């Protein structure tokens, strides 16, 4: 049962502060508008606050698994930012962004990242980059904005985020493990050439994780995107340095697609992605997913239904090399379930079948229901059991105003044999998140 306590109260003060300074931001935006010259500056602010309410965390055994009892906790995140752009005479432009994240957590989060410091806050630069975009410079040959080069602290996201969603981490001394706002790399360089539907992108990433794994990698991806058929792409990456086990020297191959194969059935969507990780005799593993969905856009509430099967390989005890998949920077876009996928198995040694239904009863209201059957890729030894848990996630998101978004998320996870053996818990885990996000 979820118990409402002191930590479940909303930290509304953050939203109050945001509302008080909104007029000043509006005045700053007006003063920095490009009407007074070619150089434009746009300040901004995002505030997000959330209350996380739990019952039977870790199936009733949070103390045994994360070293503390995790019940209810709250998080608040403030992200001030400044975006700027300077058009050049040749039609191109120079641009950049500077942002910071201030985060606070009150209570032990479900991952136990702050088990030793239940009340914690942190402030850190997030984005700090400059870039050059070609604009109309090559419009006659390659197209508008065909070349885009960026360097600095920035996030690199690839497609659905199955391989790359973030190059930073959250929680522990950085706070906000649930909201997870930090995504930018400590240093990144991204060069992109796009023309007539084709894109070639080369990237260098130095991860901003804490404690640092000193992971650096570089790679190239090429993909084709068209309105008629969708997207297909292929990428190859090389890990240059890392002190994370089996990661230094790793080669990563990525194949992905999101296509609409039948012109007469525009609502049909086929998605898939495969990642291969190889590091000599140390590691050979992979992960991937296949999904099929359909958008019934002509029906009331515009329902969208999809089924997805995802597999993240686990280590086999019968071989000398490792087969444990390294999820790198896979994020919380829509990967992994809210409880088991994020806090327990962390998208390794996992198989997940999911069925999702998305409804839009109002223009500003979206309802999502997702059901998971989760099992282990490599069974437990010596019992051989694989079945881990069943989970149901429910999300209601309401755009209350142009700037304020409110959401309610609920999840329940019922342990099966493997979860009982690994965590020692046999209770149903319940989880509710009340979230408010305000952006200016």
């Amino acid at each position: 049962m979820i118990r409402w306590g002191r930590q479940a109260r909303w930290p509304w003060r953050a939203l109050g502060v945001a509302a008080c300074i909104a007029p000043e931001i509006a005045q700053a935006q007006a003063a920095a508008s490009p009407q007074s010259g070619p150089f434009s500056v746009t300040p901004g602010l995002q505030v997000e606050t959330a209350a996380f309410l739990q019952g039977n965390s870790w199936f009733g055994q949070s103390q045994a698994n994360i070293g503390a009892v995790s019940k209810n906790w709250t998080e608040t995140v403030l992200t001030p930012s400044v975006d700027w752009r300077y058009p050049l005479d040749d039609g191109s432009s120079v641009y950049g962004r500077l942002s910071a994240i201030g985060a606070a957590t009150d209570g032990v989060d479900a991952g136990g990242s702050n088990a030793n410091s239940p009340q914690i806050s942190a402030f850190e630069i997030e984005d700090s980059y400059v870039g050059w975009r070609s604009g109309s410079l090559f419009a006659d040959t390659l197209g508008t904005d065909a070349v885009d080069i960026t360097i600095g602290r920035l996030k690199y996201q690839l497609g659905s985020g199955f391989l790359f969603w973030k190059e930073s981490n959250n929680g522990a001394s950085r706070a906000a493990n649930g909201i997870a706002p930090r995504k930018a790399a400590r240093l990144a360089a991204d060069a992109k050439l796009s023309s007539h539907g084709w894109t070639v992108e080369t990237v260098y990433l130095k991860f901003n994780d804490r404690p640092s794994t000193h992971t650096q990698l570089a790679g190239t991806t090429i993909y084709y995107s068209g309105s008629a058929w969708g997207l297909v792409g292929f990428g190859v990456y090389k890990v240059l340095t890392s002190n994370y086990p089996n990661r230094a020297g790793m080669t990563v191959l990525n194949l992905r697609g999101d296509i609409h194969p039948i012109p007469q059935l525009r609502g049909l969507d086929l998605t898939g992605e495969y990642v291969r990780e190889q590091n000599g005799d140390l590691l050979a593993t992979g992960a991937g997913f296949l999904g099929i969905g359909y958008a019934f856009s002509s029906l009331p509430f515009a329902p969208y239904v999809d089924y997805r099967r995802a597999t993240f390989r686990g280590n086999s005890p019968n071989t000398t090399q490792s087969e444990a998949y390294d999820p790198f920077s896979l994020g919380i876009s829509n990967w992994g379930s809210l409880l088991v996928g994020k806090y327990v198995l962390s998208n390794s040694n996992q198989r997940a079948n999911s069925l999702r239904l998305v409804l839009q009863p109002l223009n500003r209201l979206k309802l999502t229901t997702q059901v998971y059957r989760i099992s282990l890729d490599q069974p437990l030894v010596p019992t051989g059991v694989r079945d881990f848990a069943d989970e149901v996630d429910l999300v209601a998101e309401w755009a209350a105003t142009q700037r304020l978004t409110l959401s309610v998320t609920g999840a329940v996870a019922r342990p099966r044999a493997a979860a009982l053996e690994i965590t020692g818990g046999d209770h149903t885990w319940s989880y509710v998140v009340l979230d408010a996000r305000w952006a200016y």
Side-chain angles (χ1 to χ4, degrees):
M1 176 185 298
I2 293 174
R3 298 183 182 275
W4 297 71
R6 179 185 63 82
Q7 292 173 348
R9 297 173 185 172
W10 280 88
W12 286 109
R13 294 180 181 177
L15 291 179
V17 170
C20 291
I21 66 176
E24 283 72 13
I25 296 177
Q27 292 175 7
Q29 287 179 324
S33 68
Q35 295 176 357
S36 59
F39 183 66
S40 63
V41 179
T42 305
L45 175 67
Q46 178 171 299
V47 181
E48 186 168 0
T49 182
F52 299 81
L53 318 172
Q54 295 187 101
N56 297 316
S57 176
W58 284 78
F59 308 114
Q61 292 294 326
S62 60
Q63 177 73 55
N65 287 276
I66 61 175
V69 175
S70 176
K71 293 183 178 178
N72 306 329
W73 82 96
T74 59
E75 296 180 359
T76 301
V77 176
L78 285 82
T79 308
S81 63
V82 176
D83 293 273
W84 60 270
R85 178 177 178 271
Y86 184 80
L88 303 177
D89 293 338
D90 59 8
S92 66
S93 62
V94 182
Y95 65 93
R97 177 178 173 85
L98 176 64
S99 71
I101 291 177
T105 298
D106 181 10
V108 177
D109 62 55
S113 72
N114 65 331
N116 296 324
S117 302
Q119 285 77 40
I120 194 165
S121 60
F123 182 86
E124 187 176 340
I125 296 296
E126 174 68 357
D127 300 299
S128 178
Y129 61 80
V130 296
W132 176 80
R133 191 173 289 125
S134 62
S136 60
L137 183 60
F138 307 119
D140 294 338
T141 54
L142 299 175
T144 303
D145 289 333
V147 180
D148 194 350
I149 302 173
T150 316
I151 186 168
R153 292 175 67 106
L154 61 101
K155 64 174 177 279
Y156 175 66
Q157 296 181 342
L158 185 66
S160 66
F162 186 77
L163 178 59
F164 293 110
W165 180 252
K166 58 182 178 61
E167 288 73 53
S168 187
N169 59 3
N170 297 272
S173 62
R174 287 176 162 173
N177 190 34
I179 295 177
R182 293 181 177 84
K183 300 179 179 68
R186 186 180 304 275
L187 176 63
D190 188 2
K192 185 185 301 183
L193 173 63
S194 303
S195 181
H196 301 91
W198 289 94
T199 298
V200 179
E201 185 173 15
T202 298
V203 66
Y204 162 82
L205 299 171
K206 183 178 183 179
F207 280 31
N208 187 29
D209 44 9
R210 186 184 295 176
S212 176
T213 60
H214 299 95
T215 297
Q216 300 180 57
L217 62 84
T220 298
T221 181
I222 179 171
Y223 59 92
Y224 177 81
S225 178
S227 58
W229 294 99
L231 180 148
V232 291
F234 173 78
V236 56
Y237 302 85
K238 184 72 173 182
V239 179
L240 306 176
T241 63
S242 181
N243 58 16
Y244 191 83
N246 301 327
R247 185 179 283 182
M250 181 194 299
T251 299
V252 182
L253 304 179
N254 174 255
L255 179 65
R256 61 194 176 96
D258 186 347
I259 62 174
H260 313 281
I262 304 176
Q264 294 79 10
L265 297 175
R266 296 300 300 163
L268 180 64
D269 185 28
L270 300 181
T271 58
E273 191 158 355
Y274 177 72
V275 178
R276 175 69 179 178
E277 298 176 348
Q278 184 75 46
N279 194 1
D281 296 331
L282 298 175
L283 176 75
T285 185
F289 78 92
L290 290 173
I292 180 171
Y294 197 90
F296 298 88
S297 55
S298 61
L299 295 181
F301 303 161
Y304 177 79
V305 180
D306 71 358
Y307 166 79
R308 183 180 69 206
R309 177 176 175 83
T311 299
F312 306 85
R313 288 196 63 189
N315 187 45
S316 172
N318 301 319
T319 62
T320 56
Q321 68 177 4
S322 175
E323 293 86 18
Y325 179 71
D326 182 350
F328 270 106
S329 61
L330 181 142
I332 57 172
S333 50
N334 67 338
W335 285 104
S337 58
L338 292 173
L339 296 179
V340 175
K342 180 177 181 180
Y343 295 117
V344 183
L345 295 182
S346 300
N347 296 309
S348 188
N349 191 26
Q350 176 183 340
R351 297 179 182 179
N353 292 280
S354 68
L355 183 64
R356 180 175 56 158
L357 171 64
V358 181
L359 299 174
Q360 189 107 26
L362 300 172
N363 287 337
R364 294 189 173 188
L365 178 63
K366 184 170 75 171
L367 306 175
T368 302
T369 301
Q370 194 153 3
V371 181
Y372 291 88
R373 168 61 63 89
I374 301 169
S375 60
L376 301 179
D377 177 64
Q378 288 294 322
L380 295 178
V381 179
T383 61
V385 297
R386 293 179 184 266
D387 291 341
F388 196 88
D390 298 323
E391 182 171 328
V392 178
D393 300 341
L394 307 171
V395 181
E397 188 174 51
W398 176 42
T401 68
Q402 185 179 1
R403 304 194 182 281
L404 178 63
T405 301
L406 304 175
S407 66
V408 179
T409 301
V412 291
R414 182 173 65 90
R416 296 171 69 86
L420 175 61
E421 191 160 341
I422 291 175
T423 69
D426 59 0
H427 291 73
T428 297
W429 186 351
S430 56
Y431 179 84
V432 174
V433 184
L434 308 176
D435 182 277
R437 184 174 65 253
W438 182 89
Y440 206 100

